[in-house]
Amino acid sequence: MVSSKDEPVQLPMESNDKPGVAATNEKSADVEVGLTTHDDDEALQHLEELRNLYGATWDGPHDQENPYNWSSRRKISIGIAMGLGSLVTLLTASVTAAAIGDITKDLHLDPATAQISFSVYFLGLAFGPFPIAAISEMNGRRNIWMASNIWFILWNSLCPVGYSKGLMIAGRFLAALGASVGNTLSGPVMTDIFHEKDRGKSLAIAGLLPYLGPALGPIIGGLVSQLLDWPWLFWIISIINTVVLAIGFFILRETYTPVLLRRKAEADIMKQGNQETSTATVTSKSPIGTLRQAFWHGLVPRLGVSMLRPFRLLLYQPVMQIAAINIGLAFGAYTLTLSTFAQLWIQRYGQSKLTSSLHYISLTIGTTIATQVCGRGMDWIYQRLRERDGAARSTGKLPLGKPEYRVPYMIPGMLLMPAGMFWYGWSAQYQYHWIVVDIGTAVFTMGSVIYSQAFSAYILDESKEYGASATAAVRVLSQILGFVFPIFAPNLYDTLYYGWGNSLLAFIFIVLAFPVPFCLWLWGEKLRVVGHRRTKNIK
C-alpha cells in the first residue's frame, strides 16, 4: 500500500495520491517493515498520507502494530489458520465423490441431477466471494471469516436432513456461500502481512493444508460410506469446521490496514482527554462519535458499491479477464477430474470405494509439490528479475517489483497441465497399471496449481488493497466452470472415453492458454495501464 515516485503506473481503483505497496531495497537490513520505501523522507511522507486517508498512521516504519512487522511465528500461525479454513472448503467439495452412488440411490436422483448435487457447491463458491470481499474491505477480515464459517456449519449440517433432494441441492449451495470465505480471503490476508518479494512463501504457507483436501475428502468419504450412513459425511465435516472455527477465534487477528488505522484513529481520539470523549458515554457530537457516524452513514449504498466492484474490475480490466479465463480453465478441468476419479477406479478397475479413494493421494502429491517446492521458486524468479532490472540503475537501488515478474513462473504450469491430461487420459483409456494413471494425474494437478498460483500472485500484486475484490472477480468464472464441467463429464467420457475426452480438454487449453504468458510479458504493463484508466473512479 505504499506509493513511490519511481512507480510507472497508477494502481487500480486508487487516485493518484493513494499509497500502493512497494518493495524494500534488499541491501538494507532486510527487516520486514510495513512501510517499504527507499528512504526515510519517503517513509515519513507515506505515514502522513496514511493519516490523511484513515485519520491515523503507524508510529514509525517499524511499528509492531503494523501487520507487516508482526513476528514470523504470528504470521505463520495466521497462515495455518486460514489454510485450515480453506481445507474444509476443499474437503466439502470432494468428500461426497465416493458416496455419490449411495446418495443417488437414496435420494432417487438421475445421473445428471446427481452431478448437479455435487457441482452446485462450486456455484455457491462462485457467488459467495462478492459479499464476503465487500464486507472484508469495509469492516475487516476477521469478523466476516468467523460469520461465514458459522453460516457454513449450519447449512452443511442440514444438507442430509430428511433425505430431501431439494434440501440437499439448496443446502450445498448455501453452505458453499460460507465456505467460499477460505478461498476469498486466504490470498488477501497473506498480502496484508507479507511483502511482494515473499508472495510465493506466503501462498505456500496458506496452501500447505488446503491441498490435502482432494485426498482427505475422498478417503474420509470412502471410509465413512463403508462404515456409516452417508449423512455422517456432512456432519463430520461440520464437526471439523467447528474445531477450525475455535482455532481461528483464538489465533486470527485483524490484518487489514485501513480497518486497523480507523480503529487506531478512534483510540487516539479517546486518549486526547477532551470532555466529549473522556466520559463513559460517547455522544454523537464527540470526535469519536463523528468518526463512527461517518463510517456507518450510507453503509448500505457503500456495501452495494463494494459488491459491484469485482464485476466492474472483471468488466473493465483486461488482465482480470485474462486471469479469470485461464484460472477458470485450469479449475474446471481439475473439478472434472475430482468428480469422476473415484468412478474410474470403481467401474473400470473394479476397486472398492475405500481403495478408489486412496488414488486421490496422487492429486495431493501434485499440489504439495506445486505449492511447497515450486512456490518458493516463484519468489526466486521474482527477486532475480528485480536484480536484473536494478543492475542498470545509477542509484544502485532495487526497482519496485511489478506483476510481470510472475509471468515466467506460469510457463512450467502451462506445459505440465496438458501433458498430465494426455498422460492421465490415455493411460486410463488402456487401463495401464494404477501407478501410471496416478503419476499422470499428479503431473496434471501440479501444472494446474502452478499455473493458477502464478496468476493469483499476479492479480494480488496488481490489486493491492482490493485483493479480496480482485480474487472474487477472477474466481467467479472458475467456480462456474467448476459447476458446469462435472455435469457434462459423464457424457464426455461415455462418448469420447478417457483418452480423447482428456485430449479434447488439453487441446482447448493449449489453444487458449499457450499465448497468454508471452502476451503478458510483452504487453502486460500496457494492459494494466488501460485497466487503471478505466477503473480509476472505482472506490
Side-chain angles (χ1 to χ4, degrees):
M1 289 177 42
V2 177
S3 63
S4 172
K5 298 175 184 178
D6 296 329
E7 190 165 0
V9 296
Q10 178 187 335
L11 294 175
M13 306 148 301
E14 295 180 303
S15 59
N16 288 333
D17 61 346
K18 189 166 184 176
V21 179
T24 56
N25 180 3
E26 286 201 341
K27 295 180 181 179
S28 64
D30 195 29
V31 177
E32 288 199 351
V33 297
L35 306 169
T36 54
T37 53
H38 290 306
D39 51 57
D40 292 339
D41 291 339
E42 192 172 342
L44 294 174
Q45 180 183 355
H46 174 66
L47 288 172
E48 191 59 33
E49 288 174 343
L50 288 178
R51 188 187 303 279
N52 294 335
L53 284 169
Y54 307 118
T57 191
W58 303 117
D59 298 333
H62 304 285
D63 186 353
Q64 292 302 306
E65 294 301 313
N66 187 337
Y68 284 123
N69 295 330
W70 289 350
S71 67
S72 295
R73 180 178 179 181
R74 176 180 292 176
K75 292 180 180 182
I76 292 172
S77 297
I78 291 174
I80 291 174
M82 296 300 297
L84 284 170
S86 298
L87 171 63
V88 172
T89 301
L90 292 175
L91 272 177
T92 310
S94 59
V95 74
T96 60
I100 198 165
D102 293 336
I103 296 173
T104 300
K105 179 181 177 181
D106 289 347
L107 299 186
H108 307 291
L109 304 176
D110 58 78
T113 306
Q115 284 298 331
I116 290 175
S117 71
F118 175 87
S119 59
V120 72
Y121 182 79
F122 295 102
L123 196 61
L125 293 180
F127 295 103
F130 293 100
I132 289 172
I135 294 171
S136 76
E137 290 171 352
M138 295 176 62
N139 195 40
R141 320 291 198 196
R142 185 179 187 273
N143 291 338
I144 188 60
W145 187 89
M146 301 287 293
S148 297
N149 277 279
I150 293 171
W151 175 275
F152 167 81
I153 292 168
L154 170 64
W155 285 106
N156 186 68
S157 300
L158 290 175
C159 283
V161 173
Y163 285 61
S164 167
K165 175 175 66 176
L167 182 57
M168 171 63 73
I169 295 175
R172 288 273 289 176
F173 175 80
L174 292 170
L177 296 179
S180 64
V181 72
N183 292 338
T184 304
L185 294 187
S186 286
V189 166
M190 293 294 99
T191 301
D192 292 341
I193 60 180
F194 285 95
H195 295 302
E196 291 101 322
K197 67 184 180 68
D198 296 319
R199 184 76 73 235
K201 180 174 71 174
S202 68
L203 293 177
I205 293 170
L208 175 63
L209 294 174
Y211 289 110
L212 297 176
L216 290 179
I219 292 172
I220 293 173
L223 185 63
V224 171
S225 62
Q226 288 197 172
L227 301 178
L228 300 170
D229 292 334
W230 61 262
W232 276 100
L233 291 173
F234 296 87
W235 298 331
I236 288 173
I237 292 298
S238 293
I239 293 170
I240 293 173
N241 199 49
T242 302
V243 175
V244 172
L245 180 63
I247 293 172
F249 179 82
F250 292 105
I251 291 180
L252 289 183
R253 291 185 56 179
E254 184 54 58
T255 62
Y256 193 47
T257 291
V259 169
L260 291 173
L261 289 181
R262 281 198 298 265
R263 293 176 183 174
K264 191 173 189 294
E266 293 185 1
D268 289 344
I269 291 175
M270 292 293 289
K271 292 178 182 178
Q272 287 177 359
N274 60 57
Q275 190 166 0
E276 288 92 355
T277 58
S278 62
T279 59
T281 303
V282 178
T283 68
S284 62
K285 294 182 180 180
S286 68
I288 184 115
T290 302
L291 275 178
R292 291 177 179 173
Q293 284 183 348
F295 177 75
W296 291 106
H297 179 69
L299 177 62
V300 174
R302 288 190 294 113
L303 181 60
V305 170
S306 296
M307 289 183 65
L308 288 175
R309 185 184 296 123
F311 290 104
R312 291 173 176 170
L313 293 177
L314 188 59
L315 181 62
Y316 294 117
Q317 290 211 357
V319 293
M320 296 292 177
Q321 297 162 6
I322 293 171
I325 292 171
N326 283 267
I327 293 176
L329 285 172
F331 188 74
Y334 175 75
T335 56
L336 185 147
T337 301
L338 203 64
S339 67
T340 59
F341 203 44
Q343 296 304 309
L344 164 69
W345 300 105
I346 293 172
Q347 294 175 1
R348 292 183 67 85
Y349 283 79
Q351 296 180 354
S352 67
K353 294 176 184 177
L354 181 58
T355 303
S356 68
S357 67
L358 296 176
H359 292 281
Y360 282 86
I361 294 175
S362 64
L363 278 72
T364 295
I365 292 173
T367 54
T368 301
I369 294 173
T371 55
Q372 303 308 309
V373 179
C374 300
R376 306 304 176 98
M378 177 166 61
D379 289 340
W380 184 86
I381 293 171
Y382 185 88
Q383 190 59 28
R384 297 292 82 75
L385 291 174
R386 284 186 66 210
E387 292 174 353
R388 184 203 65 177
D389 289 350
R393 293 168 67 99
S394 58
T395 60
K397 296 177 179 178
L398 292 179
L400 300 176
K402 57 183 180 179
E404 284 68 40
Y405 291 164
R406 310 295 182 187
V407 172
Y409 184 66
M410 297 177 187
I411 295 176
M414 178 189 71
L415 298 175
L416 288 172
M417 183 177 165
M421 294 176 76
F422 288 127
W423 188 335
Y424 159 49
W426 288 106
S427 59
Q429 174 82 18
Y430 292 108
Q431 293 185 267
Y432 289 162
H433 190 272
W434 63 266
I435 192 64
V436 180
V437 181
D438 281 354
I439 292 174
T441 57
V443 172
F444 156 70
T445 307
M446 183 166 59
S448 175
V449 172
I450 290 174
Y451 196 63
S452 299
Q453 191 179 50
F455 265 107
S456 296
Y458 186 100
I459 292 303
L460 289 171
D461 287 353
E462 164 68 358
S463 54
K464 311 296 183 186
E465 180 181 337
Y466 294 105
S469 289
T471 299
V474 300
R475 290 286 179 182
V476 63
L477 182 60
S478 304
Q479 306 300 345
I480 290 175
L481 292 179
F483 167 72
V484 172
F485 273 40
I487 294 176
F488 70 73
N491 289 334
L492 174 70
Y493 289 137
D494 287 345
T495 304
L496 299 177
Y497 302 104
Y498 284 91
W500 282 113
N502 276 18
S503 296
L504 176 62
L505 295 175
F507 286 131
I508 292 173
F509 180 82
I510 289 171
V511 170
L512 295 179
F514 270 39
V516 170
F518 306 102
C519 292
L520 288 178
W521 183 256
L522 295 174
W523 304 300
E525 191 166 349
K526 294 180 180 178
L527 291 174
R528 289 191 293 112
V529 171
V530 171
H532 299 167
R533 193 178 301 121
R534 291 177 177 176
T535 58
K536 63 181 179 181
N537 293 322
I538 297 179
K539 302 295 183 181

